Amino acid sequence: MGKGTDKMYITHSEWSGEFGGMQFGGIQARKKTDVFKRLPFYCCSLTLQPFEHPVCTPDGIIFDLRHIRLYLKKFGMNPVTGEKLDVNSLISLNFFKNPEDEYHCPVTFKVFSDHTHIVAIKTTGNVYSYEAIDRLNIKTRHWKDLLSDEPFTRKDIITIQDPHNLEVRNLSNFHYLKNNLKLKDDESNDPLSNINLSATGSAERVLSKISCKHDESAHDATVENKLLKKASSSTPTVKKSKNVPYNAASYSRGLAAASFTSTAMTPVTENENALVDEEEFMFKEIKEKGYARIVTNLGNLNIELFCDKAPRTCGDPTGTGKGGESYWKKDFADELKRNLSHNERGLMSMANKGKNTNSSQFFFTFRPCTHLDNKHTIFGKIVGGKEILDKMELVPTDESDRPLQEIKIIEVAIFINPYEEYKKKLEKKLSRQDEFAERKPREKTEKDTTTWFGTKLTSTGAKESNSNISGDVGKYLKSTTSPDIPKKRELDNEELDSEPVPEINKKLKTTGYNFGNFSNW
């Protein structure tokens, strides 16, 4: 029944026609297919290695420009399909990488993989994921490049990799591999020698850059070798850690978390401390009060400024009393404190036009005005020259409460400025940190290698064992091995080994009904 056998049945291979050309049941013999070998999207289809200057054909086959020109010069056809190919039809591609040196889409920032549908725009050469082109160009009918805004048509979309059609990337189907149409080693070593093919467009620009780099490579190679030799002979340098700024916050900028959940940000893997505004950081550090003198045409007023409680508030730079611009050229927020109240005479407080509208105008209180609490910022008080305040109060006013006699600030003299002192201390602190960072580590002295009890430490940090220290463990347990045994004890052991030692049989003392080790049972 079977092929060349006397068995009463046929096998599966005989039934399917795979054995010796026999066919049963009308089933045709199966065609043997080649093994599928996939070429990654970032590799040249000719060298099968990662490309440096990628170009593609109109049907999306990627080559490295330096190698495909040599092949076209010798064979004049597409090495993958075997069809005729002109160098002018090659399209220069622009791949984009993220900070981790991975190819990704410049719009969605998704990393390309073997399962990504990758396309390129023929007019610009920019490479995107098909998802971005489909959502932002095809569905919206916005036929302009997403990066350069250059117009294109639907026919200009070239498929570089389609995960649903991988036969294009199958190495087993490449024409030059099947027919052994490869370049020799001497031809492929120097890709720029004896090339007379005319190139135009993007291919010409890429080749011009390659030639310039190729001319400089010999000079750069000699310089690089010298630098490498010098670096190898010198001691290796340790990478210094980043200096944390003095105004670094205890929390991060949140870029890593934001890039993890966002498709419009470049992925960030390291968290950086957020930086507090220098002024905000300084205001928190100010713990002292300021002192100044206001010189008026009626006399001098000595004032104490609450820099620790209202550090943002300042005086009137115009000197007109009508208000003006603040130090920041705009209105600033209130600095209201619960422990400050308009409950006495001689307080300095800010005038405003509403909440958080402080500019530069201020006033003195002639009496308690508690109805102004939580509305106006108190930032100082008069500590000397209250008789001048009495003179100001006695000046007659008109119907609009404007004094009939001119009261003008002539000069402001500052005695203690906590802000300037803080800046000086900060500069000294930063300079000391820089000097400390530049110092070399000092050598260890005998004091550094000795404990308080006089015990010296070895290079590994362990205590040196002294001869007078016993090998006991704890108070009652003794060590099984003693590293230091006196020489006299060794001699005694040698003498004992030379003389026979009589065996001493000690009888166990029995007390009461003791069965011992049950040997008599």
Side-chain angles (χ1 to χ4, degrees):
M1 183 74 179
K3 175 66 176 179
T5 60
D6 56 351
K7 57 182 181 292
M8 300 301 296
Y9 59 90
I10 60 176
T11 63
H12 177 271
S13 60
E14 293 173 344
W15 176 264
S16 61
E18 296 179 357
F19 183 79
M22 294 181 62
Q23 295 182 4
F24 296 90
I27 299 179
Q28 298 293 332
R30 294 181 180 176
K31 295 181 180 180
K32 293 184 179 180
T33 57
D34 297 331
V35 179
F36 180 82
K37 297 180 181 179
R38 182 174 183 174
L39 179 68
F41 71 92
Y42 53 85
C43 291
C44 172
S45 299
L46 182 59
T47 61
L48 309 181
Q49 299 296 326
F51 50 69
E52 295 182 2
H53 306 282
V55 293
C56 74
T57 60
D59 52 355
I61 302 176
I62 298 181
F63 299 100
D64 193 302
L65 181 59
R66 301 172 62 184
H67 300 280
I68 189 60
R69 283 180 58 88
L70 289 174
Y71 193 90
L72 293 179
K73 177 186 176 182
K74 185 174 182 179
F75 299 103
M77 61 180 178
N78 192 326
V80 175
T81 61
E83 301 175 355
K84 291 184 179 181
L85 181 63
D86 187 14
V87 67
N88 295 325
S89 63
L90 296 177
I91 303 166
S92 179
L93 299 179
N94 301 320
F95 279 86
F96 301 90
K97 289 186 176 182
N98 58 13
E100 284 73 25
D101 201 32
E102 297 174 330
Y103 291 107
H104 73 125
C105 176
V107 177
T108 63
F109 295 101
K110 291 184 178 180
V111 178
F112 290 158
S113 65
D114 293 337
H115 307 285
T116 307
H117 192 172
I118 306 173
V119 295
I121 305 301
K122 183 178 180 180
T123 57
T124 60
N126 295 331
V127 180
Y128 304 94
S129 64
Y130 180 76
E131 179 185 3
I133 298 298
D134 182 49
R135 292 185 178 182
L136 302 178
N137 291 119
I138 299 176
K139 291 183 178 180
T140 60
R141 296 182 180 180
H142 178 74
W143 300 108
K144 289 186 179 181
D145 191 274
L146 299 177
L147 293 182
S148 63
D149 206 30
E150 186 174 343
F152 67 94
T153 62
R154 188 160 190 163
K155 296 180 180 180
D156 295 330
I157 301 176
I158 302 174
T159 299
I160 302 298
Q161 175 181 268
D162 187 0
H164 301 290
N165 184 19
L166 298 177
E167 289 298 328
V168 183
R169 313 294 298 176
N170 189 2
L171 298 175
S172 303
N173 297 334
F174 286 4
H175 180 266
Y176 79 100
L177 293 178
K178 287 184 176 181
N179 300 278
N180 197 20
L181 299 177
K182 299 180 180 179
L183 295 175
K184 297 180 181 179
D185 294 337
D186 55 350
E187 295 176 343
S188 60
N189 285 337
D190 190 7
L192 295 175
S193 62
N194 301 325
I195 296 180
N196 296 322
L197 290 176
S198 60
T200 59
S202 60
E204 182 183 8
R205 293 194 298 269
V206 174
L207 280 176
S208 62
K209 292 182 181 179
I210 297 174
S211 60
C212 295
K213 292 181 180 179
H214 187 265
D215 295 336
E216 298 174 357
S217 60
H219 177 70
D220 294 341
T222 56
V223 176
E224 185 178 359
N225 292 332
K226 292 180 180 179
L227 293 176
L228 289 175
K229 290 181 180 179
K230 185 177 180 180
S232 60
S233 60
S234 61
T235 56
T237 57
V238 181
K239 185 178 180 181
K240 296 183 179 180
S241 59
K242 295 182 180 179
N243 295 329
V244 180
Y246 73 94
N247 58 336
S250 58
Y251 50 89
S252 67
R253 299 175 61 188
L255 295 180
S259 63
F260 180 74
T261 57
S262 174
T263 58
M265 290 182 61
T266 303
V268 179
T269 57
E270 295 183 0
N271 276 325
E272 296 182 359
N273 293 74
L275 298 181
V276 182
D277 183 70
E278 294 184 359
E279 286 187 349
E280 294 292 340
F281 187 84
M282 177 179 65
F283 293 156
K284 293 180 180 180
E285 297 294 325
I286 297 297
K287 305 297 181 183
E288 300 176 355
K289 299 183 185 301
Y291 293 90
R293 174 179 292 171
I294 300 178
V295 180
T296 67
N297 57 344
L298 298 180
N300 300 333
L301 295 173
N302 296 332
I303 58 175
E304 180 184 74
L305 299 175
F306 303 151
C307 298
D308 54 339
K309 298 178 181 179
R312 283 186 172 274
T313 310
C314 62
D316 186 356
T318 59
T320 60
K322 297 180 180 180
E325 290 183 346
S326 67
Y327 175 80
W328 298 275
K329 306 298 181 181
K330 60 181 181 180
D331 295 345
F332 59 95
D334 297 326
E335 293 178 311
L336 305 176
K337 302 295 180 181
R338 293 183 178 180
N339 56 350
L340 293 179
S341 176
H342 298 80
N343 56 1
E344 60 178 317
R345 176 183 173 85
L347 292 176
M348 298 179 65
S349 185
M350 291 297 297
N352 57 45
K353 295 171 289 185
K355 185 177 181 181
N356 298 328
T357 58
N358 299 286
S359 57
S360 62
Q361 190 178 11
F362 66 93
F363 60 90
F364 294 105
T365 58
F366 292 147
R367 61 181 181 275
C369 306
T370 55
H371 62 281
L372 301 178
D373 293 349
N374 298 325
K375 295 180 181 179
H376 296 267
T377 301
I378 300 173
F379 66 98
K381 66 179 180 179
I382 297 176
V383 294
K386 288 189 177 182
E387 65 278 3
I388 307 300
L389 186 63
D390 298 336
K391 292 182 181 180
M392 293 181 182
E393 187 179 8
L394 295 176
V395 174
T397 59
D398 56 11
E399 296 178 355
S400 59
D401 291 334
R402 185 176 182 82
L404 298 178
Q405 179 184 352
E406 184 182 20
I407 302 175
K408 187 175 181 179
I409 297 177
I410 301 175
E411 183 185 1
V412 177
I414 300 175
F415 299 131
I416 297 178
N417 190 347
Y419 305 103
E420 293 296 331
E421 294 180 1
Y422 166 79
K423 292 179 180 179
K424 292 179 181 179
K425 292 180 181 179
L426 180 62
E427 290 179 0
K428 291 182 180 180
K429 181 180 179 181
L430 296 178
S431 62
R432 285 197 301 266
Q433 290 180 355
D434 295 338
E435 292 177 359
F436 181 78
E438 294 176 357
R439 288 179 184 174
K440 296 181 179 179
R442 65 184 183 87
E443 299 179 356
K444 290 185 177 181
T445 59
E446 185 178 358
K447 183 179 180 180
D448 298 330
T449 58
T450 307
T451 64
W452 287 1
F453 302 100
T455 306
K456 291 186 177 181
L457 301 176
T458 60
S459 59
T460 59
K463 295 181 180 180
E464 295 181 355
S465 59
N466 297 329
S467 59
N468 57 351
I469 299 177
S470 64
D472 296 346
V473 182
K475 184 176 181 181
Y476 301 101
L477 300 178
K478 293 186 177 181
S479 177
T480 56
T481 59
S482 179
D484 298 329
I485 300 177
K487 294 183 179 180
K488 184 178 180 181
R489 184 61 181 169
E490 295 178 357
L491 296 175
D492 295 341
N493 289 338
E494 293 178 358
E495 295 176 356
L496 291 175
D497 293 339
S498 60
E499 298 180 0
V501 180
E503 296 182 358
I504 302 174
N505 296 328
K506 294 183 178 179
K507 293 183 179 181
L508 297 175
K509 183 178 180 180
T510 58
T511 57
Y513 297 97
N514 190 359
F515 294 98
N517 56 1
F518 300 97
S519 59
N520 295 328
W521 281 44

